[in-house]
Amino acid sequence: MEQSIKEESEIKNILLALVEPNRNSPTDNIPADVKGWRFPSGSTDASRAGDGEKIEEQYQQPVCFWTGVACDPIDGSITGLNLGNGFYVETLLGMSASSSKAGDEGGKQQHTRVMIQQYDDEIILHKKRYPESSSIITNDRRTANDVPPRTTSPSFPSSLGKLTSLRFLNLSHNQLQGSIPRSIVQLPNLEMFDVTSNDLEGTFPHFESDALRVLDMSKNRFHGRLDEDLFGHPDIGPY
């Protein structure tokens, strides 16, 4: 059964909370080939009037068609968010690439081999990588000089914990700071979790999902002992 209009609106609000800094931007800074992730035109600054029709069209796109979002083909619930490889901070928020990321291309290539195809319902999360030298250059011919890069690294978006149907979450290479919110480790259906190459810190979290089978928190600043319960998941391992 498809989601109701009310549910769709609530989910859009959750996702748009990730790009709140874009709400009153004078221009549409998100590349034209990225679907969704725009606020409704009525909530933006009046100076965006020229972009209003395009922005409204993007907002009206069902969330299951938004770039980086995967949904269950039966009930339409969100099962995956693929915002990794810098897509969240560079493409959606318009931040410049981290200098430490430039030499880590080999690690990024490894992450493209995530075992998404092993989902029983064969849901595929479509990955789109933007070259680091032109992370916000798109087919509308804008360049990095057209949009001043944001410099403040974001914290982990705790609002994603409201998406209890999530099975796959990739936020790798996004310069995220702080700790992993409690709402995230409590996600009941989480199968794959990738936050490698950020600036996250704190003790290693305890994940409550019994379905967890792929976990990568490498290249952060976690400390302490690994959760012994992780070794109770027979399918968990490196990829």
Side-chain angles (χ1 to χ4, degrees):
M1 181 174 63
E2 296 184 356
Q3 298 176 116
S4 67
I5 295 177
K6 180 180 179 180
E7 290 173 331
E8 178 84 3
S9 177
E10 291 173 349
I11 291 173
K12 284 184 177 180
N13 288 336
I14 293 172
L15 295 180
L16 288 175
L18 276 66
V19 292
E20 181 63 29
N22 294 345
R23 181 184 291 272
N24 294 315
S25 176
T27 59
D28 181 13
N29 296 335
I30 298 177
D33 54 351
V34 172
K35 303 301 181 183
W37 298 103
R38 274 81 165 183
F39 289 91
S41 56
S43 67
T44 59
D45 189 271
S47 60
R48 299 185 69 172
D51 289 333
E53 183 175 344
K54 180 181 69 174
I55 293 170
E56 188 65 26
E57 180 182 352
Q58 291 285 3
Y59 174 76
Q60 294 298 336
Q61 287 270 0
V63 290
C64 293
F65 291 92
W66 288 19
T67 303
V69 177
C71 295
D72 187 286
I74 304 300
D75 61 16
S77 61
I78 293 183
T79 57
L81 287 177
N82 180 26
L83 309 179
N85 294 336
F87 178 79
Y88 174 40
V89 294
E90 293 179 46
T91 305
L92 295 184
L93 294 181
M95 294 177 59
S96 59
S98 169
S99 59
S100 62
K101 183 181 166 186
D104 199 24
E105 185 64 26
K108 288 174 62 179
Q109 291 177 355
Q110 179 184 2
H111 282 81
T112 63
R113 296 192 292 268
V114 177
M115 299 177 292
I116 303 170
Q117 70 273 16
Q118 292 187 5
Y119 277 147
D120 292 337
D121 53 8
E122 298 182 353
I123 295 175
I124 298 177
L125 301 181
H126 297 285
K127 294 190 173 186
K128 187 172 184 64
R129 178 172 301 165
Y130 293 86
E132 296 186 41
S133 60
S134 58
S135 60
I136 55 175
I137 296 176
T138 66
N139 54 13
D140 62 356
R141 300 185 183 278
R142 286 178 293 145
T143 67
N145 294 326
D146 295 328
V147 182
R150 298 187 176 95
T151 57
T152 304
S153 296
S155 58
F156 200 107
S158 60
S159 61
L160 295 182
K162 298 177 181 179
L163 302 175
T164 56
S165 58
L166 270 183
R167 297 165 55 190
F168 173 90
L169 180 57
N170 178 10
L171 280 164
S172 63
H173 298 272
N174 274 303
Q175 309 171 44
L176 299 178
Q177 294 183 340
S179 60
I180 297 178
R182 182 67 178 161
S183 61
I184 301 300
V185 299
Q186 289 180 326
L187 286 169
N189 300 300
L190 198 61
E191 295 183 18
M192 301 181 182
F193 184 74
D194 184 358
V195 290
T196 188
S197 297
N198 284 291
D199 194 26
L200 297 168
E201 58 186 349
T203 57
F204 288 103
H206 168 73
F207 289 88
E208 299 187 6
S209 172
D210 291 332
L212 188 65
R213 55 194 175 109
V214 175
L215 175 65
D216 196 337
M217 299 187 296
S218 60
K219 299 182 181 179
N220 285 284
R221 294 191 290 143
F222 296 112
H223 63 273
R225 295 176 60 87
L226 285 171
D227 188 347
E228 293 183 0
D229 288 347
L230 288 176
F231 302 102
H233 294 282
D235 294 327
I236 201 166
Y239 62 95

